[in-house]
Every structure is written in C-alpha cells, then in structure tokens.
Amino acid sequence: MLHGKRILLIVAGGIAAFKSAELIRLLRGRGASVRCVLTEAGAKFVTPLTLQALSEDRVYGDMFSLTDESEMGHIQLSRDADLLVVAPATADLLARMAGGLANDLAATVLLATDKPVLAAPAMNVRMWTHAATVANVETLKKRGITFVGPNDGAMACNEHGPGRMSEPAEIVAAIEAVLVRDRPLAGRRALVTSGPTREALDPVRFISNHSSGKQGHAIAAALAALGADVTLVSGPVAVPDPQGVKVMKIESADQMLAACLDAGALDIAVCAAAVADWKAARPAAGKIKKKAGAPPPALELAPNPDILATLSKAGPKRPALVVGFAAETENVVANAIEKRGRKGCDWIVANDVSPATGTFGGERNTVHLITAAGTEDWPPLGKGDVAMRLAGRIAGHLAEAVRKQAAE
Ligand code: CTP
C-alpha cells in the first residue's frame, strides 16, 4: 500500500518512543522509506542507532550540525517526504507546534513543511485532558493536522485513561488513510505480470532467469494504492505478495498466459514479467539420467507464447492501455521503440539490465517511457518510485481519455 512513499518520522521524548521501532519496521515492510528526526528528549528513550539500523538511513537530531546541514538542510528535510508523522507526539511538542515555535530540529521541520502531518499523541492522562493540551490539539486540527489516538488504557505512569499512544499497526492504518486518499483508479481493473517463468526440462530441472519480481510487484501495489482492482500474475519470486492485490502464482509461460486470459475484462495490463522466450519442446516425464560415456542430452526448444503481444491484439477485449517492458543490454531506446511496434502495446518501459547496472534483483531502476508521443528519460529511481510514477501516469492517461470521450 505504501510503495514508494517517504515518511519523515519525528520521535519525541515519551516512553512510547520504544514503539517507533516497530512502526518503522511495519512501514518499511509496506514499501515505504522512513527517515527519522529524534528530539533530544526522544534520545533519552530510544537511541539514534536503533532508528538508524531499522530505517537504514541517517537519523537527524541536531539543528546546528554542520554535516547534516551540508548534506540535507532542515528545509529540504521537511519537504523531502510525502508525510510527516509525529510519534510519539508529546504534550510539549504539540504545544510548540501550536505555538509555531522553531526551537529544535523537530519543531523547525514541522513549521517549515508543506506536507501533511499526522500526530500520534502519547502522554499522561492529566496532561492529555489539560485545557492547554485540549486547546493546542484543537488549534492543530483546525490547521489540518490529522490525529491518531491516543488510546484509553493502563499507562506506564501507573494511571489509567486516554493518553496511550496508538499501536504501530493503528498508526500505519492512519498513515495509509492519509496518503492513499486519492484513488483515481477506483473502478478500474488492472493486470500485472511479474517475476520470471520456469520452463521444465524434466521434473527437477528448469530454464529460468534472474528476474526478482520487485518492479512488477511494486507496480501492482502502486496501481492498487491508486484504487485499481489488481490481479498480479507472478512467477516464482522471493518478494512478498503486495497487500490488497489478488495474486495468481504460476510457473511456466503457458500457465502465465492462461492466468492472464482468465483475468476477465481489463482496463490496464502491465507486462513486467521476464517471460522465458523458450521452453523444452518435449519436457521429460522422468528425471533425465546421465549415462556413462554418453554425450550430454541435446536440448530441443520451442517458442513460448508472447503474452504482451497476445494482450495487445486489437479486439473488443483489448485493455484500454497495455504497457510492456523492454529489458535491454544495448541500444536500449532504439530496441524498445522497435519492440513497441512489434508487440502492438501502447507504452514500453525500457530499462538497461546490463549486469553493471545492478537492475536485476537491485532496488533501483533507470527507465525510459516510450509512448506514441515520444521517449521520456526518467531519472534513476527506487523501484517503488518508478512504480508510483508509472501508476500516476496510467491514471492521468485514463482520466484524459475519459475527458476526451466526454468532449466528443
Ligand atoms: N513478454 C511476454 N511474453 C513473452 C516474452 C515477453 O509477455 N513470451 C513481454 C515482457 O513481459 C515484456 C516485453 O514482452 O513486457 C518484452 O520482453 P523482452 O524479454 O524484453 O522482449 P522479448 O520479446 O523477449 O524480445 P528480445 O528477447 O528479442 O529482446
């Protein structure tokens, strides 16, 4: 749900700061990246090292650090995220936010940001119900800050009542609700193919390739995050199933094609799978055995069906938008333009998969989007960001088609 989303997590000084570790883990598991700001008081409860290890990013805390400022100024830090999450939001930090103070890095970033802010309060029950805090929360809500919690229950200070910080899973749900409010693909049906295929030579051996499925799975998650009803047809991969997506697991190209044709009426098809071009012409029913002195067996191959070309065929069932990938090691754009024509798809996402780029199995991708209008060169991006950008473009394209149709 949160693929490609960037969260700036501000951890203030409360005992609930220990829950921020689990929060980071959950967010990253959903594909979000997390960068942390730790207040001085927060650092009394959780160490920068813990947050750094879990977020795999540096932790910011010092407003006047020369290295932090030269690498990422506090203004950029406040804008370089999709959402700022304050967890725990202490009475003190809420008061400083309401008062517009900028007396440490956390308060400054919160004052400087142009991004949405979600706060998860955590404090003693009397502090939460104090008129000052009540007024501060009201002010912040009026300014558009979203709150999750606090919950009612036993507190670390041996009192009982509202003030317990929401559980990490509740905070994640609140984050998803804020970030995924915009669902331009609601009511659209999408198919995504992902991962490699496996073509059996005999019951124990197969032909396959290095595709990790990371890019295809991220695209399925991104389309779902924009509200599409997504079917993901995936070859064998190690990456987890994206949330909110119907996953059909297959092995061979023939099975992938059958699953795709079974998916029903579609608006969008994105073929990101690295389908094996060939299969064994006659896979052996039993394990092929070595025979002393005999030469290695000759492999007779047969072509696999082309799933992208099949889905791109004109007809009443053709999806409104068919997107293919072109994994190339040389002449990336020229080969991809040729491939777009040959396969009959609308768009091609071309990428260089030469071993030196680390694209196969890696986290980043440098792609070119080839459409009827020309070629766009995208900057190097994380695979989640490529997916979000592509899903956004798909949503924009379909919305434009609807506008044009209405105008005719
Ligand atoms: N594709 C497919 N079915 C196949 C082969 C490829 O659906 N049997 C799709 C891929 O999912 C991708 C696009 O076609 O979207 C291009 O895949 P690629 O492997 O780059 O192209 P090939 O057709 O295999 O061409 P070549 O090997 O000559 O580059």
Side-chain angles (χ1 to χ4, degrees):
M1 283 294 272
L2 294 173
H3 260 284
K5 296 290 184 194
R6 295 158 308 160
I7 311 288
L8 184 69
L9 176 64
I10 296 171
V11 180
I15 184 72
F18 78 92
K19 291 186 187 170
S20 55
E22 173 69 356
L23 179 58
I24 297 170
R25 211 184 55 76
L26 291 180
L27 288 170
R28 297 205 61 207
R30 279 165 170 72
S33 62
V34 183
R35 176 171 284 158
C36 297
V37 170
L38 182 62
T39 67
E40 199 183 335
K44 306 271 186 220
F45 294 90
V46 60
T47 69
L49 197 60
T50 306
L51 302 183
Q52 185 173 310
L54 289 167
S55 65
E56 291 185 89
D57 202 341
R58 67 174 305 155
V59 173
Y60 295 80
D62 185 357
M63 174 96 138
F64 301 106
S65 156
L66 285 178
T67 34
D68 284 3
E69 275 298 307
S70 61
E71 281 165 20
M72 158 110 32
H74 57 272
I75 304 294
Q76 194 191 340
L77 190 61
S78 76
R79 314 262 167 95
D80 205 26
D82 298 299
L83 176 71
L84 274 62
V85 176
V86 192
T90 56
D92 172 69
L93 186 52
L94 290 175
R96 290 189 285 133
M97 286 163 72
L101 266 65
N103 54 348
D104 70 355
L105 184 65
T108 307
V109 158
L110 285 159
L111 195 61
T113 191
D114 58 355
K115 295 298 184 323
V117 177
L118 174 81
M123 64 195 76
N124 168 273
V125 56
R126 285 193 184 278
M127 291 166 82
W128 176 250
T129 51
H130 193 285
T133 306
V134 170
N136 289 335
V137 169
E138 214 168 290
T139 304
L140 292 169
K141 280 186 178 166
K142 273 195 205 129
R143 290 189 200 142
I145 288 177
T146 308
F147 281 79
V148 51
N151 290 343
D152 231 75
M155 306 183 64
C157 49
N158 283 333
E159 288 188 47
H160 203 278
R164 269 172 72 94
M165 186 167 90
S166 298
E167 293 307 315
E170 295 173 288
I171 301 176
V172 169
I175 291 171
E176 284 177 344
V178 173
L179 285 178
V180 190
R181 228 175 246 155
D182 197 17
R183 295 168 75 82
L185 289 176
R188 300 286 194 175
R189 295 203 65 238
L191 169 78
V192 180
T193 69
S194 182
T197 63
R198 268 184 195 172
E199 310 299 334
L201 301 177
D202 68 16
V204 296
R205 302 183 180 92
F206 54 80
I207 305 172
S208 191
N209 58 65
H210 289 300
S211 171
S212 65
K214 284 180 186 165
Q215 187 63 81
H217 278 52
I219 292 167
L223 292 169
L226 295 190
D229 172 1
V230 182
T231 301
L232 172 65
V233 180
S234 173
V237 294
V239 287
D241 291 352
Q243 292 219 330
V245 163
K246 179 179 172 204
V247 183
M248 299 174 77
K249 294 186 181 167
I250 54 79
E251 294 233 330
S252 68
D254 284 319
Q255 291 167 353
M256 183 173 269
L257 177 64
C260 290
L261 295 177
D262 231 33
L266 297 165
D267 300 291
I268 305 152
V270 181
C271 293
V275 183
D277 290 316
W278 302 283
K279 60 186 168 190
R282 274 173 292 278
K287 184 181 171 194
I288 303 168
K289 300 291 285 179
K290 288 194 296 289
K291 291 196 187 84
L299 273 184
E300 196 194 330
L301 300 176
N304 261 328
D306 192 312
I307 297 159
L308 176 62
T310 307
L311 295 172
S312 298
K313 279 211 183 85
K317 284 194 176 159
R318 187 190 192 279
L321 187 67
V322 183
V323 183
F325 269 71
E328 307 289 344
T329 52
E330 56 209 355
N331 302 327
V332 177
V333 171
N335 282 342
I337 291 173
E338 181 275 328
K339 206 166 270 182
R340 176 176 172 272
R342 175 159 49 89
K343 304 241 180 183
C345 57
D346 303 295
W347 296 357
I348 284 262
V349 180
N351 60 351
D352 188 341
V353 292
S354 320
T357 63
T359 304
F360 261 139
E363 299 301 328
R364 293 179 79 74
N365 211 349
T366 306
V367 308
H368 312 270
L369 179 66
I370 291 148
T371 70
T375 301
E376 280 174 29
D377 302 322
W378 290 6
L381 294 167
K383 288 184 175 175
D385 286 329
V386 169
M388 282 311 290
R389 198 159 162 163
L390 183 65
R393 288 296 303 267
I394 290 173
H397 175 84
L398 294 180
E400 184 58 26
V402 170
R403 266 195 296 278
K404 272 193 190 146
Q405 225 169 23
E408 276 167 13

